[in-house]
Amino acid sequence: QVLLRESGGGSVQAGGSLRLSCVVSGYTTSPYCMGWFRQAPGKEREAVATIVRDGGTTYAGSLKGRVTISRDGARNTLYLQMNSLKPEDTAVYSCAAVTAYYCGFRSAMFPYWGPGTQVTVSS
């Protein structure tokens, strides 16, 4: 079973930066695609970015230009570098993985999820 665990969340002021990490374990086949999603209070979960096994990345519109997703295969770790954070970026950020051949933004297609890490941006 694929297990994921996020870290790196916290509280920052607007304009600040955070780097989230997600350690992946328990897989026999490296996930084809991994992604970061977020869910703010009272809102639906939305995609932030995805990365396929060969390194190709895709970014959702809301954070595009302010985030970078990366993947370190040797450390089995997924990262999300977030810059120029805004109060509206406040949310629980979760990493997800899929071993099947899919790498879109539909969260229902990702069977493996971490518990999430809280990011709070104050003005």
Side-chain angles (χ1 to χ4, degrees), residues 6 12 37 44 52 71 94 101 103 105:
E6 305 92 343
V12 295
F37 294 77
E44 292 188 355
V52 295
R71 184 172 178 174
S94 301
Y101 186 68
C103 205
F105 286 161

Side-chain angles (χ1 to χ4, degrees), residues 45-121:
R45 179 184 285 165
E46 64 173 346
V48 175
T50 59
I51 184 167
V52 295
R53 196 157 51 207
D54 66 1
T57 59
T58 307
Y59 294 92
S62 59
L63 282 153
K64 195 172 184 178
R66 297 191 290 122
V67 298
T68 303
I69 188 171
S70 59
R71 184 172 178 174
D72 184 336
R75 291 180 171 83
N76 298 324
T77 303
L78 178 73
Y79 300 101
L80 185 70
Q81 177 67 44
M82 303 190 293
N83 301 318
S84 302
L85 285 164
K86 304 174 182 179
E88 52 263 43
D89 295 323
T90 294
V92 174
Y93 286 71
S94 301
C95 61
V98 55
T99 55
Y101 186 68
Y102 176 81
C103 205
F105 286 161
R106 291 178 59 194
S107 60
M109 298 298 290
F110 289 78
Y112 308 109
W113 290 83
T117 186
Q118 177 70 45
V119 171
T120 302
V121 185

